[in-house]
Amino acid sequence: MMRMVVVRLALTIPILLGVSLVAFVLMRALPGDFAQASAGTSTISAAALEQIRVNLGLDRPIWEQYLRWLGNALTGDLGRSFASKRPIAGELFPRLAVTAELTLIAGAMALAMGVSTGLASARLRGRTDWMVRGWNSLLLAVPNFVIATLIVLLFGLYFPTIGIFNYVAFATDPLGNLASLLLPALSLSLSVSVTISENTRAAVLEVSSQDYVMVARAKGLHARTILGNYLVRNALTPVITVAGLQAAAMLGGSILIETIFTIPGMGQYLFESVGNRDYPAIQGIVLVAATIVLLMNVLVDIAYARVDARVSYD
Amino acid sequence: MTIGLAMFAALVLVVLLGPLLAPYSPSKTSPDSLAGPSAAHWLGTDSIGRDVLSRLIVGGRGTLLITFVAVALALAVGLVLGLVSGYVGGRVDVVIMRVLDVVFAFPVFLLAIAVVAALGPTLRNLILTIAIVYTPTLARVVRGPVLSVKRWDHVEAARSVGVGEFAIALRHVLPMVISPILVQTSLTLANTIFTVTALSFLGLGPPPPDPNWGSMLADARQFMELAPLTVIGPAAAIVFASLTFIVLANGLREMLDVQGR
Amino acid sequence: MTGALLEVRDLTATFNRDGVPSQVVNGISFDIAPGEAVGFVGESGCGKSVTARSIMRLAPEGSSVEWSGRILFRGQDLLALDEHAMRDVRGRRIAMVFQDPMASLNPVMTIGAQLDDMLCRHTGLSRRAARRRAVELLDLVGIRDPAHRADDYPHQFSGGMRQRVLIAIAVSCQPDLLIADEPTTALDVTVQAQILRLLMRLRRELGMALMLITHDFGVIAGMVARVYVMHGGDIVESGAVDALFAAPRHAYTRALLDAVPRIETAGRRA
């Protein structure tokens, strides 16, 4: 087992390096001057500009700059923000926590909705199946930011007294914090729940026709025992993989949701940085985000191997 | 399938005829702002009095054009990469796949934002970004069938008789690839609509004054309770377009009886 | 015949697939006495497996089956029971061993757990007591080092051993009737004899009736006293095994007998 984890992580490293390279190159290969951007919109003398250039290490060969940046990143130093002049890591990680919380709640919602509708669809068939699949197909065509905007519209029109833009930090007011994240999480979770629902349905249908389920029935076990231990436990293995991979999709979608509901998460930060031309920040955010996604993929593989005792990773 | 094609035809019509179909010029302002639906303005007006319907139609043209072009580009590159990678195999295959894996590792949206941020939000960059982001998926879909076909018996037979590799690729491999590619392209079109509209929603899309669905949605947020159609209009348009491609994909899948490879 | 454990009268089973009904069992009748071993022979598709599952009222997933007739088990008509009551019968009074041991065990549960849940369900034993009993059962069916093996997963067992586990599960609650549907068909020839011997031994030790279903007359010989021959949903011939072997009346029976390679006809008495 340990071996599998190590192997999997090792495979991820070259991809991570590639990702970091892309993130780095993107920000440095732009029209306009990196040093100038650091100064923002204020005009500065050529001498000052040169000084900035030296400070940022821009006079060094590009590969040295890359290694320097990467080395720092590994120790947690993502450089300084152009906009706030403060360390990026310090600004990024609290916001990452917020996005993580949002994504977790959304993930839980998506799982709950997806697994229950998929299960119902597969077991009850008939009308239920038809309705669930119809709803899923429709939902698939609506992007999450459209859903979010429509939700805001709905509340604005019919429940104008309920405030939906009041994000509150967890430390300040835990309940308020959770409440403020409900609607955003819902918007984020709906399209993901469709994928989970369809996958659960397919998995349950497939497992239902397996011999061991017939044997379980012949054993005279209670219906809920069969459902829990024989059906769901086996059907869930492919669903876990899908769910884990959806985390990546949600990370991207959170940018839009955070913007709409004014939640100070990583996505908001990225958006602000783009607006401020805060290139070091963008670099850092992209690196962190991609790393998270890759780690999630590894976690999913491990979880899959744990649940399904037969899977071995060569 | 027929429904899908009908919807698709409607979209194509909008793209081709665009401004001709719109009752007003999309940038024509009027003092009649945030109006509800009326005979003069079927979907009402926005905050500076522009006709929503016209903006939807012309905006649709812009949005859809970007989508089609970007996906066509991704398809072209993906097709080539997939064919080469699958057919040549060996080192080339590994290298290409690794590079694509790196692109694949980025959440689509994050990458799009990063690229647009780096290169600037011009139309050309937008199309390029989307093409880059979706190329790996298409390349993979192509590569799959190529890998299996190239081992088939009659391909071996053709090879042994001395038929050139290129001819083999064309005659035997290409037809196998067409079905999954068509389905995947449809799905990619649906996803691209999301990405394009999402990017313009954030302000990273084609710059004004050209309307497009994403930015219309974003702009409408300010006064949306007063004129819900300014939000519902673009929202419905986006849903319609992506629904078209999804229905098309499902119809194609059934028609071609494609199994997941 | 009074005193019979199982009395089946005019049993029909009609499948309903996509609105098209098809009758697979055409009004058959048979008896099984307590502790008796009875064979059901016929080619695939003759309805013998459906008959077995009808006794357990197990319809395949996704299809609906309509039964008519009567299945009297210890005097009670199983077809008249509600699903709840039927579940109490399954496993406890009537148990079944299926054909394919490779697919019949839950891959994500240890075999110990798969015995435990059966025992806990029907006998009300505590978890600990159930596990002890499970280990005893594994020993009974010939699994070596049963205490440790109980924590292993199905994929760690060979086909023959999995079938032993499935037999252990089936007999765990000491049912009155054990139905074995092609229990050796999916196994190696060398293992087949072992499994059949195991079934015989358990039947003797636990005093169960045995309904042995197979397409191979060679399997029947030496195992059962009476045989029913099925073909196309009907019982075409029945009788004591020896008599049937010696003088088969129906053409189909004869064909089945001829299909058995001579050398391997174990227990064929002159």
Side-chain angles (χ1 to χ4, degrees):
Chain A
M1 180 64 154
M2 226 24 220
R3 237 199 74 201
M4 192 212 101
V5 175
V6 171
V7 165
R8 195 69 185 79
L9 281 174
L11 285 175
T12 312
I13 292 185
I15 301 184
L16 255 178
L17 280 176
V19 162
S20 64
L21 199 60
V22 170
F24 183 79
V25 166
L26 266 181
M27 291 304 122
R28 299 298 167 100
L30 34 89
D33 190 25
F34 202 68
Q36 176 66 55
S38 137
T41 48
S42 45
T43 41
I44 48 175
S45 64
L49 205 58
E50 197 49 46
Q51 186 57 48
I52 294 178
R53 208 166 268 133
V54 171
N55 286 348
L56 288 176
L58 291 173
D59 51 332
R60 307 234 156 237
I62 194 106
W63 56 265
E64 194 183 310
Q65 291 184 47
Y66 167 66
L67 286 170
R68 176 87 82 62
W69 174 72
L70 190 62
N72 285 342
L74 285 171
T75 57
D77 174 13
L78 292 168
R80 270 180 194 280
S81 158
F82 279 177
S84 70
K85 307 294 179 225
R86 280 185 302 205
I88 295 174
E91 313 216 303
L92 177 56
F93 288 115
R95 290 167 187 251
L96 180 58
V98 174
T99 301
E101 193 194 350
L102 175 64
T103 311
L104 248 129
I105 299 179
M109 278 185 180
L111 265 176
M113 286 191 289
V115 171
S116 53
T117 53
L119 200 58
S121 190
R123 298 302 291 164
L124 298 176
R125 312 277 177 100
R127 192 94 83 69
T128 316
D129 189 17
W130 188 81
M131 279 199 308
V132 168
R133 303 201 80 194
W135 168 249
N136 281 350
S137 306
L138 193 60
L139 213 49
L140 214 50
V142 189
N144 51 24
F145 66 94
V146 172
I147 293 179
T149 311
L150 287 173
I151 288 182
V152 174
L153 177 65
L154 197 74
F155 272 72
L157 283 178
Y158 298 113
F159 310 106
T161 47
I162 302 181
I164 41 181
F165 295 117
N166 0 340
Y167 173 77
V168 159
F170 192 75
T172 326
D173 175 10
L175 271 162
N177 170 271
L178 286 173
S180 64
L181 286 178
L182 278 180
L183 284 176
L186 185 66
S187 319
L188 199 52
S189 67
L190 279 172
S191 22
V192 173
S193 78
V194 167
T195 318
I196 295 181
S197 176
E198 291 289 313
N199 274 282
T200 306
R201 178 183 178 276
V204 171
L205 279 178
E206 216 235 292
V207 169
S208 301
S209 57
Q210 293 294 312
D211 284 356
Y212 56 81
V213 173
M214 176 67 89
V215 169
R217 292 167 60 200
K219 281 159 81 169
L221 298 173
H222 288 301
R224 40 193 154 82
T225 314
I226 301 181
L227 190 68
N229 287 342
Y230 291 76
L231 273 174
V232 171
R233 267 175 80 170
N234 280 283
L236 234 34
T237 33
V239 174
I240 287 177
T241 317
V242 170
L245 296 175
Q246 289 296 310
M250 283 201 288
L251 207 60
S254 74
I255 297 177
L256 296 153
I257 305 296
E258 285 170 17
T259 310
I260 295 175
F261 286 97
T262 59
I263 294 175
M266 193 170 73
Q268 262 278 55
Y269 189 35
L270 180 62
F271 188 52
E272 286 165 9
S273 306
V274 168
N276 294 335
R277 303 215 169 289
D278 194 344
Y279 297 115
I282 299 177
Q283 244 171 253
I285 297 172
V286 168
L287 182 66
V288 170
T291 309
I292 293 177
V293 169
L294 286 168
L295 281 177
M296 279 294 314
N297 288 351
V298 174
L299 273 171
V300 164
D301 284 348
I302 295 176
Y304 194 96
R306 276 292 266 130
V307 178
D308 184 347
R310 292 167 298 176
V311 172
S312 74
Y313 216 101
D314 290 305
Chain B
M1 187 64 192
T2 37
I3 305 176
L5 282 175
M7 291 164 83
F8 187 65
L11 290 179
V12 171
L13 220 69
V14 166
V15 172
L16 291 177
L17 298 180
L20 300 175
L21 287 172
Y24 297 84
S25 158
S27 36
K28 179 175 185 307
T29 61
S30 81
D32 191 14
S33 63
L34 297 176
S38 64
H41 300 279
W42 286 7
L43 293 177
T45 58
D46 70 359
S47 58
I48 48 178
R50 295 176 294 195
D51 178 40
V52 171
L53 181 60
S54 309
R55 286 180 65 81
L56 272 184
I57 295 177
V58 178
R61 179 172 209 243
T63 311
L64 289 168
L65 264 176
I66 298 176
T67 308
F68 288 144
V69 172
V71 173
L73 196 57
L75 183 59
V77 176
L79 202 62
V80 168
L81 282 180
L83 276 173
V84 167
S85 187
Y87 206 74
V88 174
R91 277 276 195 83
V92 172
D93 182 24
V94 173
V95 167
I96 293 184
M97 279 298 121
R98 278 272 164 263
V99 170
L100 289 180
D101 275 342
V102 171
V103 179
F104 207 59
F106 283 91
V108 164
F109 206 56
L110 229 55
L111 184 60
I113 291 187
V115 174
V116 169
L119 303 173
T122 68
L123 197 64
R124 190 196 63 170
N125 291 337
L126 194 60
I127 294 181
L128 235 107
T129 312
I130 294 176
I132 294 175
V133 162
Y134 288 110
T135 301
T137 322
L138 288 166
R140 280 225 185 122
V141 170
V142 170
R143 180 172 171 267
V146 171
L147 282 178
S148 42
V149 168
K150 111 179 143 160
R151 290 189 199 116
W152 281 2
D153 288 337
H154 63 260
V155 172
E156 284 294 331
R159 206 176 272 136
S160 65
V161 176
V163 180
E165 291 295 327
F166 191 65
I168 292 182
L170 235 52
R171 292 272 306 304
H172 296 277
V173 177
L174 212 52
M176 284 311 297
V177 164
I178 296 216
S179 318
I181 265 288
L182 273 177
V183 175
Q184 187 62 44
T185 307
S186 257
L187 290 172
T188 306
L189 281 168
N191 286 329
T192 310
I193 288 272
F194 283 17
T195 314
V196 169
T197 46
L199 282 172
S200 27
F201 181 83
L202 289 177
L204 295 171
D210 295 327
N212 62 69
W213 292 339
S215 55
M216 281 176 75
L217 197 63
D219 293 337
R221 286 195 301 148
Q222 205 178 5
F223 296 111
M224 63 172 139
E225 293 92 10
L226 300 173
L229 277 175
T230 48
V231 160
I232 297 180
I238 297 174
V239 172
F240 182 79
S242 39
L243 211 53
T244 306
F245 298 126
I246 294 177
V247 170
L248 217 62
N250 285 338
L252 277 169
R253 216 182 252 143
E254 274 176 36
M255 206 177 76
L256 301 170
D257 200 29
V258 171
Q259 283 153 334
R261 282 180 187 269
Chain C
M1 207 161 81
T2 47
L5 178 66
L6 182 71
E7 282 176 67
V8 176
R9 295 284 172 267
D10 304 312
L11 174 68
T12 64
T14 312
F15 276 73
N16 209 316
R17 249 180 223 125
D18 299 328
V20 177
S22 78
Q23 190 167 291
V24 178
V25 176
N26 311 327
I28 61 174
S29 305
F30 61 91
D31 294 333
I32 301 183
E36 187 184 17
V38 172
F40 269 75
V41 190
E43 66 189 354
S44 24
C46 70
K48 53 193 198 300
S49 285
V50 177
T51 304
R53 283 158 213 244
S54 301
I55 297 176
M56 299 274 274
R57 262 183 47 196
L58 286 173
E61 183 69 31
S63 325
S64 68
V65 184
E66 264 177 49
W67 290 289
S68 76
R70 284 181 314 161
I71 302 181
L72 293 170
F73 179 72
R74 288 157 56 120
Q76 199 181 28
D77 185 5
L78 295 180
L79 290 180
L81 289 179
D82 68 11
E83 181 63 16
H84 232 76
M86 195 62 216
R87 267 191 219 134
D88 288 333
V89 172
R90 287 190 202 121
R92 177 71 185 83
R93 298 256 163 245
I94 310 179
M96 195 153 161
V97 176
F98 293 83
Q99 175 173 335
D100 186 3
M102 301 305 276
S104 294
L105 286 168
N106 187 343
V108 299
M109 281 172 76
T110 61
I111 60 158
Q114 297 188 51
L115 273 159
D116 291 345
D117 69 11
M118 172 78 152
L119 289 164
C120 291
R121 159 73 174 109
H122 290 294
T123 64
L125 287 172
S126 71
R127 293 236 139 222
R128 273 238 205 99
R131 180 49 70 102
R132 258 181 276 136
R133 180 88 187 105
V135 172
E136 281 169 26
L137 283 162
L138 287 175
D139 189 43
L140 186 65
V141 297
I143 303 280
R144 255 188 287 245
D145 192 14
H148 287 123
R149 288 297 254 161
D151 290 325
D152 283 342
Y153 286 88
H155 68 271
Q156 293 168 280
F157 291 78
S158 69
M161 287 169 74
R162 285 193 222 194
Q163 194 64 307
R164 288 174 190 268
V165 171
L166 286 159
I167 292 174
I169 291 177
V171 305
S172 61
C173 302
Q174 306 204 292
D176 301 313
L177 170 64
L178 176 65
I179 305 177
D181 187 359
E182 307 264 16
T184 54
T185 309
L187 300 171
D188 285 341
V189 175
T190 44
V191 179
Q192 284 184 12
Q194 293 172 14
I195 297 294
L196 289 173
R197 270 201 300 273
L198 174 64
L199 281 173
M200 275 182 67
R201 177 164 67 85
L202 288 175
R203 194 195 126 233
R204 253 193 348 256
E205 288 179 17
L206 301 173
M208 309 177 295
L210 175 68
M211 181 177 171
L212 183 57
I213 299 170
T214 177
H215 62 274
D216 183 357
F217 249 115
V219 166
I220 290 285
M223 292 281 298
V224 303
R226 284 193 304 125
V227 170
Y228 290 93
V229 180
M230 280 190 78
H231 179 59
D234 300 299
I235 292 179
V236 298
E237 192 167 353
S238 65
V241 163
D242 297 346
L244 224 72
F245 267 90
R249 260 167 290 149
H250 201 276
Y252 182 65
T253 316
R254 232 171 291 140
L256 277 177
L257 280 169
D258 287 340
V260 179
R262 288 219 165 215
I263 292 182
E264 293 192 316
T265 309
R268 175 165 177 168
R269 294 167 197 120

